[in-house]
């Protein structure tokens, strides 16, 4: 990928030290901007896990993200980067879990599918040094941007169907759910725009916009009788996450593992884009050795996450924006972020509070995030000439992702298990098409187009 000239003036470079108090404050900012809980919350909500199991699932996501952040930022990639649950595997995870009967039994099947792929990701990095060749060949900017667009577009129906339109008992109604989603989304957009209008004075408003939106949605849910924190009182202050093979039996399926392997390819494409974005912000192009180390670090993080009964992790591009705002790229701050993530995951009451947030409130916030993700994808591809050929490389994967989302369930169930799982992840399905189309379609002359 081409190096983009940085427009950011850094106060602290990646290897610069920071006072502990400043590192802690900056690390906390990165954690607050990450929305770690959204992916596990959506999966737990769709699988209708009990509040206790949902809290444990969210807890595992925090601990896994923290450990993966420490591994990647301090040992392997050695860049100012924070790891968190990827949105990409949501569809495939739900498809595999539902095929295994749902609930925690479904999570057992998911964990069994995640472990082999994570080991392979580790191997294609530093041990074999082939990952940078794969990146250079298969994930140029137009493909990476197309995949990001697919992620945003494909997750929109998930936000609406699973979190807003689904009614789970109580006095909830579809109309009430839509109102709650609208309130949380409106507060999020309002905080973002107000924060940008205020410039430097509004930085805190932008950083806390998600928390403010969730708080507003929860207040509205309380007035509508759809908020209960009863589970918080029963939760312990300190608890350990579930560990695969010890606290949860693991089941293996080759078709599920193959599907997750394809998902890992897409996650790697996603996280590679984040690496290059951070490289541009700190004005240091990535070396092939760094890219290979990054793949190994990504695989180790995903393996840790699987063993903690959570889902694959990826680098969060939102944190590159925080670097640009603060001018601090010191890895010390990112070590602090990793420690905060682990601590948050070990506090059981915090996980229970997050698990008690009504689904429609999360859905409203998640829907806005989908829009932001898709627009970031368009920002990436705008550097490529929009020839007829490139428009197909960008547009057809969106169509195929929507095909996977809208395909009739009866038709999908008639297909082999592997195809069912792949169609279950509309993001993976669309991303595979983006990579394949870029390789298959002949290049065209931009001047003639």
């Amino acid at each position: 990928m081409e190096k983009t000239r940085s427009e950011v003036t850094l106060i602290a470079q990646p290897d610069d030290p920071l006072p502990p108090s400043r590192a802690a404050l900056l690390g906390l900012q990165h954690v607050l901007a990450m929305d770690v809980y959204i992916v596990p919350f959506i999966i737990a909500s769709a699988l209708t896990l009990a509040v206790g199991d949902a809290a444990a699932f969210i807890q595992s996501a925090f601990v896994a993200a923290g450990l993966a952040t420490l591994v990647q930022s301090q040992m392997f990639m050695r860049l100012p980067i924070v790891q968190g649950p990827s949105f990409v595997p949501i569809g495939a995870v739900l498809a595999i879990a539902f095929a295994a009967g749902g609930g925690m039994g479904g999570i057992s099947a998911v964990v069994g599918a995640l472990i082999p792929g994570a080991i392979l990701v580790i191997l294609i990095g530093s041990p074999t040094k082939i990952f940078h060749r794969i990146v250079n060949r298969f994930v140029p900017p137009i493909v990476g941007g197309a995949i990001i667009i697919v992620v945003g577009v494909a997750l929109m129906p998930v936000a609406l169907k699973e979190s807003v339109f689904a009614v789970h008992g109580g006095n909830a109604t579809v109309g009430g759910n839509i109102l709650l989603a609208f309130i949380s989304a409106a507060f999020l957009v309002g905080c973002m725009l107000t924060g940008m209008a205020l410039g430097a004075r509004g930085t805190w408003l932008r950083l806390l916009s998600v928390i403010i939106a969730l708080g507003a949605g929860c207040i509205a849910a309380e007035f509508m009788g759809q908020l209960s924190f009863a589970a918080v009182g029963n939760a312990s202050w300190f608890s350990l996450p579930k560990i695969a093979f010890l606290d949860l039996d693991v089941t293996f399926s080759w078709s599920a593992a193959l599907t997750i392997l394809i998902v890992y390819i897409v996650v790697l494409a996603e996280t590679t884009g984040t690496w290059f974005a951070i490289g541009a912000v700190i004005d240091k192009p990535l070396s092939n050795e760094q890219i290979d180390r990054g793949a190994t670090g990504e695989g180790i993080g995903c393996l840790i996450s699987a063993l903690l009964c959570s889902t694959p992790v990826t680098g969060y591009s939102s944190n590159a924006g925080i670097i640009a705002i603060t001018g601090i790229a010191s890895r010390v701050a990112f070590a602090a972020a990793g420690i905060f993530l682990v601590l948050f995951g070990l506090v059981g009451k915090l996980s229970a509070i997050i698990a008690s947030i009504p689904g429609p409130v999360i859905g409203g916030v998640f829907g806005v995030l989908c829009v932001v993700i898709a627009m970031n994808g368009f920002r990436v591809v705008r550097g490529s000439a929009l020839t007829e050929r490139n428009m197909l490389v960008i547009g057809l994967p969106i169509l195929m992702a929507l095909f996977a989302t809208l395909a009739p369930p009866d038709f999908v169930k008639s297909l082999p298990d592997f195809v069912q799982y792949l169609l279950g992840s509309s993001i993976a399905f669309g991303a595979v098409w983006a990579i394949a189309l870029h390789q298959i379609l002949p290049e065209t002359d931009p001047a003639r187009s």
Side-chain angles (χ1 to χ4, degrees):
M1 291 188 183
E2 295 180 359
K3 176 186 172 184
T4 303
R5 185 178 183 274
S6 176
E7 298 177 350
V8 178
T9 302
L10 292 181
I11 300 171
Q13 295 289 337
D15 293 325
D16 290 347
L18 284 179
S21 58
R22 184 180 298 179
L25 178 60
L26 289 166
L28 183 60
Q29 280 189 133
H30 282 284
V31 172
L32 292 176
M34 287 180 65
D35 315 324
V36 171
Y37 43 84
I38 290 182
V39 171
F41 187 96
I42 289 171
I43 294 173
S45 177
L47 294 177
T48 61
L49 297 181
V51 172
D53 289 334
F57 193 56
I58 294 171
Q59 176 186 9
S60 293
F62 272 97
V63 176
L67 294 177
T69 295
L70 293 172
V71 166
Q72 191 69 297
S73 66
Q74 309 302 312
M75 299 170 60
F76 284 88
M77 200 70 185
R78 295 183 64 81
L79 277 181
I81 190 169
V82 180
Q83 300 286 103
S86 172
F87 289 89
V88 171
I90 290 176
V93 165
L94 291 177
I96 293 169
F98 282 129
M104 292 305 296
I107 298 296
S108 298
V110 170
V111 172
L114 289 172
I115 292 174
I119 295 173
L120 183 59
V121 172
I122 294 172
L123 295 177
I124 66 173
S126 295
T128 59
K129 300 185 184 302
I130 64 173
F131 182 66
H132 74 272
R133 297 187 178 93
I134 297 174
V135 170
N136 294 336
R137 179 70 177 86
F138 293 101
V139 193
I142 189 172
V143 174
I147 291 174
I148 295 172
I149 295 171
V150 165
V151 171
V153 172
L155 288 176
M156 290 178 188
V158 176
L160 295 173
K161 183 179 178 182
E162 304 295 346
S163 298
V164 179
F165 297 150
V167 177
H168 300 294
N171 60 347
T173 63
V174 173
N177 286 358
I178 293 173
L179 178 60
L180 285 177
F182 177 81
I183 291 172
S184 59
F187 268 88
L188 177 56
V189 172
C191 289
M192 290 170 60
L193 294 178
T194 304
M196 287 186 287
L198 292 175
R201 293 178 299 161
T203 298
W204 67 272
L205 190 58
R206 294 177 65 185
L207 290 177
L208 299 178
S209 58
V210 170
I211 294 177
I212 293 172
L214 292 176
C218 285
I219 292 172
E222 171 67 20
F223 280 106
M224 296 170 65
Q226 296 187 35
L227 182 67
S228 173
F229 288 117
V232 178
N234 298 327
S236 60
W237 278 105
F238 178 83
S239 60
L240 295 173
K242 292 183 183 295
I243 300 176
F245 302 105
L246 295 180
D247 304 310
L248 184 73
D249 292 331
V250 177
T251 57
F252 292 93
S253 164
W254 284 112
S255 57
L258 184 57
T259 302
I260 290 296
L261 179 59
I262 295 173
V263 169
Y264 274 128
I265 293 172
V266 181
V267 171
L268 280 172
E270 174 194 27
T271 199
T272 301
T274 298
W275 298 344
F276 281 99
I278 291 176
V281 169
I282 65 176
D283 200 22
K284 291 185 177 179
L286 304 182
S287 65
N288 289 336
E289 182 184 2
Q290 269 186 306
I291 293 174
D292 288 332
R293 289 204 315 263
T296 297
E298 186 88 356
I300 292 174
C302 289
L303 181 59
I304 291 172
S305 188
L307 293 176
L308 290 175
C309 306
S310 189
T311 55
V313 294
T314 187
Y316 269 35
S317 57
S318 59
N319 298 95
I322 298 177
I323 296 173
I325 292 171
T326 62
I328 304 293
S330 173
R331 292 186 297 111
V332 179
F334 290 80
I339 293 171
F340 271 120
L341 285 167
V342 173
L343 291 176
F344 277 26
L346 297 178
V347 179
K349 287 191 181 295
L350 177 61
S351 298
I353 289 173
I354 295 171
S356 299
I357 298 174
V361 175
I362 291 286
V365 171
F366 184 44
V368 175
L369 292 178
C370 291
V371 173
V372 174
I373 291 170
M375 292 303 102
N376 281 331
F378 283 111
R379 180 180 294 170
V380 172
V381 301
R382 71 181 180 181
S384 302
L386 284 183
T387 62
E388 283 83 352
R389 182 257 188 197
N390 286 351
M391 285 191 290
L392 292 175
V393 171
I394 298 168
L396 286 179
I398 299 174
L399 175 64
M400 300 314 295
L402 292 176
F403 169 83
T405 300
L406 301 174
D410 292 339
F411 167 72
V412 174
K413 290 179 181 178
S414 68
L415 302 173
D417 287 346
F418 167 69
V419 181
Q420 289 187 44
Y421 295 150
L422 187 56
L423 287 174
S425 177
S426 55
I427 295 172
F429 193 64
V432 168
W433 274 90
I435 295 170
L437 287 170
H438 181 69
Q439 300 300 314
I440 295 170
L441 295 182
E443 295 283 354
T444 56
D445 184 355
R448 292 181 62 184
S449 298

